[in-house]
Amino acid sequence: MVEWTECERATIKDIFAKLDYDSVGPAALSRCLVVYPWTQRYFSKFGNLYNAAAIMGNPNVAKHGKIILHDLERGVKNMDNLKETYADLSVLHSEKLHVDPDNFKLISDCLTIVVASRMGKAFTGEVQAALQKFLAVVVSSLGRQYH
Amino acid sequence: MGPARQAAMLSKKEKELIADIWESLTPVAEDIGADALLRMFASYPGTKTYFSHLDISPRSAHLLSHGKKIVLAIAEGAQDIGQLTVTLAPLQTLHAYQLRIDPTNFKLFSHCMLVALACHMGEDFTPVAHAAMDKYLSAFAAVLSEKYR
């Protein structure tokens, strides 16, 4: 069971309360597809991913980015139950989507960078550590049901 | 993959972008370097074990001077990426025979440097800049650990 300090809980809720999900989600996913181009292998049906501009303007990428952020919000609301919260998504990514779980860390790093660029100085080392701890547990939960 | 190959994976445009970014950061080398180090210590406490002989509290003289040293070395390498192995030769020896920092830590530091850049540059730290910088820092770390064994 993951232990959260009161400070970590408050920090995570605060970060997500201030995030513009519909902007951050697309920014994080498109960044991942640009910085780690091999992740595009899972998005062959999304249309034009030919270069950074195409990726960042792709409406399917944007739509999917929003879905990812809204799904993360579920985790923020269930921090003591992340394994159960993401069990179904874990099965989906393993059985149906066949996503290598190492990729979850890549998008999680890109999300961290996007949040950092939006929050600027307010994204202190302590805030970063809390967010990374949260994302690490989400990533772990998403990988749980693989076999 | 050898470091020369890694550096070669950067396009001419990427090398110029990286050189420009680090040149613009040289005046705030101390702040960026200290910020990246502090982030690393906060997220990855094991990294503090390499600094037990220094005062690494925020704004300490040791932290600022160490942060500055690191950023200036990265910035110097960025001015001629093709020559990284030559430029970094003394630092290679230092890290291999004296400091002996486990190379996994270079990845942790690089990640925190990217976060520091994102905080500092905001929207200017575009996905293209991020990709180029990630490649450069990987090549830099690979060169640093070249003499380890």
Side-chain angles (χ1 to χ4, degrees):
Chain A
M1 240 289 273
V2 183
E3 298 285 333
W4 301 101
T5 66
E6 282 315 305
C7 183
E8 284 168 338
R9 283 180 201 277
T11 302
I12 299 300
K13 290 191 193 296
D14 187 60
I15 291 172
F16 279 82
K18 296 189 169 122
L19 276 188
D20 177 357
Y21 289 23
D22 291 345
S23 164
V24 168
L29 180 58
S30 55
R31 185 170 287 251
C32 186
L33 296 172
V34 170
V35 177
Y36 309 111
W38 55 92
T39 57
Q40 292 169 28
R41 73 187 305 282
Y42 302 111
F43 299 92
S44 52
K45 300 203 171 89
F46 272 38
N48 185 2
L49 300 178
Y50 189 62
N51 54 31
I55 290 168
M56 280 145 72
N58 184 308
N60 291 320
V61 172
K63 183 167 161 218
H64 200 74
K66 292 179 194 179
I67 291 172
I68 292 175
L69 250 286
H70 284 282
D71 271 326
L72 271 175
E73 191 188 24
R74 277 199 293 136
V76 176
K77 294 184 168 140
N78 287 287
M79 284 173 68
D80 292 314
N81 233 340
L82 288 171
K83 195 171 73 181
E84 289 76 13
T85 302
Y86 291 111
D88 288 347
L89 273 179
S90 180
V91 170
L92 177 76
H93 282 77
S94 162
E95 311 279 300
K96 190 159 173 251
L97 304 176
H98 307 294
V99 175
D100 179 343
D102 286 346
N103 291 286
F104 302 146
K105 176 147 198 326
L106 299 182
I107 191 175
S108 146
D109 283 350
C110 285
L111 178 62
T112 302
I113 299 270
V114 171
V115 172
S117 72
R118 301 296 167 100
M119 288 180 67
K121 284 201 152 40
F123 196 66
T124 62
E126 286 69 31
V127 172
Q128 177 185 346
L131 178 63
Q132 286 182 177
K133 180 176 167 179
F134 171 71
L135 292 176
V137 183
V138 171
V139 163
S140 166
S141 308
L142 278 175
R144 277 305 274 221
Q145 306 303 323
Y146 280 66
H147 63 92
Chain B
M1 174 184 305
R5 290 279 306 279
Q6 284 204 25
M9 288 177 334
L10 288 157
S11 69
K12 185 158 169 287
K13 266 182 110 168
E14 284 176 318
K15 287 182 187 169
E16 282 166 14
L17 181 57
I18 292 163
D20 286 345
I21 290 174
W22 286 110
E23 208 187 316
S24 73
L25 290 175
T26 306
V28 288
E30 214 173 51
D31 299 316
I32 298 284
D35 186 31
L37 282 168
L38 276 175
R39 290 179 184 286
M40 186 179 70
F41 299 145
S43 279
Y44 313 107
T47 57
K48 291 191 285 189
T49 58
Y50 292 100
F51 295 86
S52 50
H53 59 297
L54 295 179
D55 170 14
I56 49 171
S57 53
R59 308 305 298 171
S60 78
H62 286 160
L63 187 75
L64 289 168
S65 103
H66 207 78
K68 186 175 182 184
K69 248 191 274 200
I70 296 175
V71 167
L72 290 181
I74 295 174
E76 199 197 335
Q79 296 316 310
D80 194 352
I81 294 174
Q83 292 298 303
L84 263 185
T85 309
V86 173
T87 315
L88 293 182
L91 283 175
Q92 284 178 320
T93 306
L94 179 72
H95 284 76
Y97 300 117
Q98 257 180 267
L99 302 180
R100 290 176 293 188
I101 296 171
D102 190 304
T104 324
N105 294 288
F106 299 151
K107 281 203 177 88
L108 304 181
F109 181 74
S110 296
H111 170 70
C112 291
M113 179 56 79
L114 293 174
V115 175
L117 291 175
C119 287
H120 186 83
M121 294 172 64
E123 293 299 304
D124 287 343
F125 194 56
T126 62
V128 170
H130 175 172
M133 198 56 77
D134 192 23
K135 287 200 274 183
Y136 171 59
L137 292 178
S138 299
F140 194 95
V143 173
L144 267 190
S145 40
E146 232 187 357
K147 289 185 175 145
Y148 270 49
R149 57 175 174 174

